[in-house]
Amino acid sequence: MMAKPKTKNFVMLLCALLLVLSTACSSGGGSKNQNGAQQQGEQSAEEVKLTENDPGWKVDTSPITFDWYINFSWFPNKWGVDITSQYVTEKTGVNVNFIVPAGNEAEKMNTMIASGNLPDFITLGWYEDAVKQMIEGDLVLPLNELADQYDPYFYKVTDPAKVSWYTQEDGNVYGYPNSSSSPEDYKKFGDNLTSTQTFLVRKDMYEALGKPDMRTPEGFLKALEDAKKMFPDINGQPLIPLGMYDFHEKGNASFEHYIQNFLAVPHEKDGKLNDRFTDPDYVNWLKTIRKANEMGLLAKDVFIDKRPQMEEKIAQGRYFAMLYARSDLAAQQNALYAADPNSVYIAIDGPANSNLDQPTLAGPSISGWTVTMISKNVKDKARAIRFLDYLISEEGQRDTFLGKQGVTWDTIDGKDQFLPEVADLRNNDRSSFDKKYGASHTFWMLMDTNMTPAWEPPAVEPFKQMEDWTRGKTVSLSQYDQIDPVGNSEEGIMHTKIMQEWGKVLPKLLLAESDEEFDKIWEAYLKKRDELGFAKVQEYKQKKFEENVKKLAEFIE
């Protein structure tokens, strides 16, 4: 009778024999880090014979912890405290340690870039200068090269249009987006696509005022004035007639693309980019907001509050009207709804151009919202790209959206959906839902907002009305994405200076004591903008815009 071989020898022999078929056996070695030294645990796809159809993450599910930097100081969630992230770790072996800046995101990002020492994963807005700085500084790894070496599955689970969109001049792709919709997605899901951009009013106040038309400057100012008279304070605190995003060193989103999209200001005219900031309707509405301040309708809070303070005031229902994303007040809307269903915010037709045209709201674009990158300091290249690919895949989307079958979701009436008590908590207390279940985009870093609606329960109030209002007003603005010069190029420096100048001028325009003073500040700004190189920046943007149109043409039949 043959003696039994020792377990370790037996496993090695079995792996050798079944190498071609197996994606489960794991042996060390094969890859080298940037210093040329062997990096423990990494195996190339060739070593384990992975193809595009093989989910590479299954090769090794031993415990590993990645540091993941999220460039949003408001991100509140921790990995491993909820059912969904525990389930993902149990399944893949990957644990995540989130790192979030305590204060100013740009400062934290700049410090990390200067040190050359980045966490394993980095998620930040695609529009941040830091994206280009990390690529140019050779601080992040090409995802396509990682895929070629360790996980060809990348090419199966990613969208070719999105990969092409994010491919740099050197032929490499360094980041993958979330909340991104390609031309193919628009063909497939177009009728269902919604925008997050909304003009919101507090329902009970708006109805008490007789549902005034706020599309014209006159109607807008009168409604704010009447709201302040009728509701001078909310639970002992003064009413804030108009809310908007926070002011920062480069301006305020509510008074830039938000209101410009509500006014349907064209992005281009006859193939040439339009300077949306000099549009007469836009300038007129800035003057309207200035007039609101003169009438005592702009609270001082709006010039100093940051997101946490705003969220607190939204939850108290202290704003009458807001130019704000419906998705950014979900938790507060829930709290208002629980206290009094009539105190919630609803979307209405807000500021419009002089023709009262329908808004052209930003739908999901191919750029998405954020990009996720893998740092050159990553502790295990193979595990990193394989985990990224898992999260992008339908399986990963299902796991992170629905959680664990039988615990957070099941197949009910033929549809994969949340269990009733899970759906109830999501609808009634989003913060508690995130902490307990961690599903439904709690971890949104690579969320595919075209795939996940299949598992979404139908929208319910207090969210349905806001979402439905955007249908039919939503357009793709992908071709205008990523045209701003960034980084340390001549145009990039010019653009930064122009935006910083705008950041200083915008509050001055709104606080001007008269239209005459506004005009003086405005003319001085346009002159300064020209001196800072505006023409050269526009020339750069036009070239990038034309390149975008070509890039997208390949994917638009």
Side-chain angles (χ1 to χ4, degrees):
M1 187 173 164
M2 275 178 70
K4 285 186 182 175
K6 288 184 180 172
T7 306
K8 187 178 175 187
N9 292 345
F10 177 72
V11 170
M12 287 177 73
L13 177 65
L14 193 61
C15 277
L17 290 171
L18 300 180
L19 199 57
V20 176
L21 300 173
S22 169
T23 60
C25 285
S26 165
S27 63
S31 78
K32 298 191 174 185
N33 64 18
Q34 64 262 31
N35 303 318
Q38 197 78 15
Q39 201 148 315
Q40 190 180 359
E42 290 178 3
Q43 314 149 271
S44 72
E46 289 80 9
E47 284 180 301
V48 286
K49 293 287 185 277
L50 290 174
T51 71
E52 277 193 22
N53 296 314
D54 299 315
W57 65 269
K58 293 183 177 180
V59 167
D60 183 355
T61 56
S62 61
I64 187 170
T65 298
F66 284 119
D67 293 325
W68 195 320
Y69 175 75
I70 310 285
N71 197 40
F72 297 92
S73 58
W74 50 260
F75 180 71
N77 301 305
K78 304 276 182 233
W79 187 273
V81 297
D82 60 88
I83 288 167
T84 295
S85 59
Q86 287 169 0
Y87 170 58
V88 170
T89 296
E90 176 194 317
K91 183 172 183 171
T92 63
V94 177
N95 182 38
V96 176
N97 170 42
F98 285 123
I99 300 165
V100 178
N104 185 300
E105 289 95 346
E107 279 176 20
K108 172 73 173 170
M109 202 72 242
N110 289 339
T111 304
M112 290 197 308
I113 289 170
S115 75
N117 194 16
L118 296 172
D120 302 299
F121 288 90
I122 308 104
T123 293
L124 72 170
W126 61 258
Y127 42 84
E128 300 284 355
D129 284 354
V131 173
K132 195 163 175 68
Q133 287 166 10
M134 286 188 286
I135 293 169
E136 287 176 349
D138 203 21
L139 297 174
V140 285
L141 298 171
L143 301 182
N144 50 301
E145 289 185 3
L146 291 174
D148 292 343
Q149 194 167 0
Y150 305 110
D151 198 25
Y153 191 51
F154 174 84
Y155 297 108
K156 181 169 184 180
V157 298
T158 53
D159 182 325
K162 293 169 193 176
V163 171
S164 168
W165 183 256
Y166 275 100
T167 296
Q168 304 296 312
E169 284 172 11
D170 64 3
N172 291 321
V173 58
Y174 294 88
Y176 198 76
N178 73 352
S179 295
S180 163
S181 288
S182 66
E184 191 58 35
D185 292 327
Y186 264 84
K187 273 193 276 183
K188 270 198 293 198
F189 309 108
D191 295 343
N192 294 317
L193 291 176
T194 56
S195 177
T196 60
Q197 296 182 334
T198 41
F199 178 66
L200 303 167
V201 289
R202 205 176 122 163
K203 183 175 186 284
D204 49 2
M205 294 182 188
Y206 182 68
E207 289 172 354
L209 293 172
K211 300 185 178 178
D213 185 343
M214 296 181 73
R215 293 177 299 164
T216 64
E218 301 72 28
F220 182 85
L221 290 171
K222 185 172 187 317
L224 295 186
E225 191 176 28
D226 290 349
K228 191 180 178 184
K229 278 183 196 158
M230 194 182 275
F231 306 98
D233 61 71
I234 308 295
N235 299 326
Q237 303 263 36
L239 177 81
I240 304 169
L242 180 64
M244 70 281 297
Y245 278 100
D246 53 311
F247 285 82
H248 53 85
E249 65 162 3
K250 293 180 181 177
N252 182 311
S254 296
F255 295 130
E256 291 146 19
H257 58 276
Y258 255 72
I259 198 163
Q260 289 167 355
N261 290 349
F262 267 85
L263 304 179
V265 178
H267 282 78
E268 61 179 285
K269 290 180 177 176
D270 302 321
K272 292 286 173 206
L273 284 179
N274 179 35
D275 176 12
R276 299 178 95 206
F277 282 81
T278 52
D279 180 86
D281 281 322
Y282 172 65
V283 176
N284 190 36
W285 270 96
L286 285 185
K287 285 186 171 180
T288 303
I289 307 298
R290 184 214 69 76
K291 184 69 178 172
N293 183 61
E294 187 188 320
M295 294 166 69
L297 302 171
L298 278 196
K300 289 189 174 63
D301 313 48
V302 300
F303 291 99
I304 51 176
D305 284 351
K306 296 297 179 197
R307 177 106 168 232
Q309 290 81 37
M310 292 169 65
E311 288 179 348
E312 195 178 315
K313 289 169 184 174
I314 295 168
Q316 295 163 351
R318 284 184 61 195
Y319 297 99
F320 164 59
M322 300 184 81
L323 261 171
Y324 205 69
R326 61 184 174 85
S327 53
D328 283 349
L329 47 70
Q332 296 77 34
Q333 181 85 329
N334 260 332
L336 291 167
Y337 192 67
D340 175 4
N342 281 316
S343 71
V344 298
Y345 288 91
I346 57 169
I348 65 162
D349 294 339
N353 63 27
S354 44
N355 294 329
L356 300 182
D357 292 324
Q358 189 159 270
T360 51
L361 305 176
S365 74
I366 194 162
S367 291
W369 166 33
T370 66
V371 287
T372 293
M373 310 173 95
I374 295 176
S375 133
K376 71 166 187 182
N377 304 112
V378 68
K379 57 177 68 80
D380 188 319
K381 294 178 193 170
R383 294 292 294 279
I385 187 67
R386 289 166 184 169
F387 187 57
L388 184 90
D389 295 344
Y390 157 74
L391 291 173
I392 294 168
S393 73
E394 185 172 344
E395 182 177 7
Q397 291 293 317
R398 179 193 297 274
D399 290 347
T400 50
F401 187 84
L402 286 174
K404 188 173 184 177
Q405 187 167 10
V407 181
T408 54
W409 71 277
D410 224 321
T411 307
I412 305 165
D413 300 328
K415 177 182 161 84
D416 294 347
Q417 56 185 298
F418 291 120
L419 297 171
E421 66 273 20
V422 179
D424 284 349
L425 188 61
R426 189 181 84 144
N427 290 336
N428 297 312
D429 187 348
R430 180 68 210 217
S431 299
S432 297
F433 171 91
D434 288 352
K435 289 182 180 69
K436 183 173 182 179
Y437 297 118
S440 182
H441 302 319
T442 298
F443 303 105
W444 41 257
M445 296 81 218
L446 287 153
M447 64 182 176
D448 185 330
T449 42
N450 298 303
M451 198 183 289
T452 53
W455 308 307
E456 273 278 6
V460 293
E461 297 308 352
F463 308 105
K464 185 178 188 304
Q465 186 275 341
M466 296 190 291
E467 182 181 302
D468 287 346
W469 180 85
T470 70
R471 290 182 202 280
K473 303 177 182 80
T474 301
V475 296
S476 171
L477 300 173
S478 290
Q479 62 271 43
Y480 312 111
D481 275 355
Q482 305 202 27
I483 60 174
D484 291 345
V486 293
N488 295 322
S489 65
E490 186 188 5
E491 295 89 352
I493 292 164
M494 287 173 175
H495 183 253
T496 298
K497 285 182 178 168
I498 290 167
M499 291 309 295
Q500 286 168 340
E501 186 63 25
W502 170 247
K504 286 182 211 151
V505 165
L506 178 60
K508 289 180 188 170
L509 290 166
L510 303 182
L511 294 167
E513 289 182 7
S514 64
D515 277 355
E516 291 72 30
E517 190 188 335
F518 178 104
D519 288 339
K520 278 183 192 159
I521 296 166
W522 184 247
E523 289 307 319
Y525 166 66
L526 294 181
K527 188 166 178 258
K528 177 82 173 180
R529 196 176 74 155
D530 286 342
E531 288 166 7
L532 290 170
F534 180 71
K536 193 151 192 178
V537 169
Q538 284 299 95
E539 200 181 306
Y540 176 95
K541 286 185 176 184
Q542 179 69 29
K543 183 169 167 283
K544 296 301 280 184
F545 160 62
E546 287 168 11
E547 285 171 12
N548 284 353
V549 171
K550 277 185 197 157
K551 253 188 192 181
L552 289 168
E554 183 192 338
F555 297 99
I556 299 172
E557 294 302 324

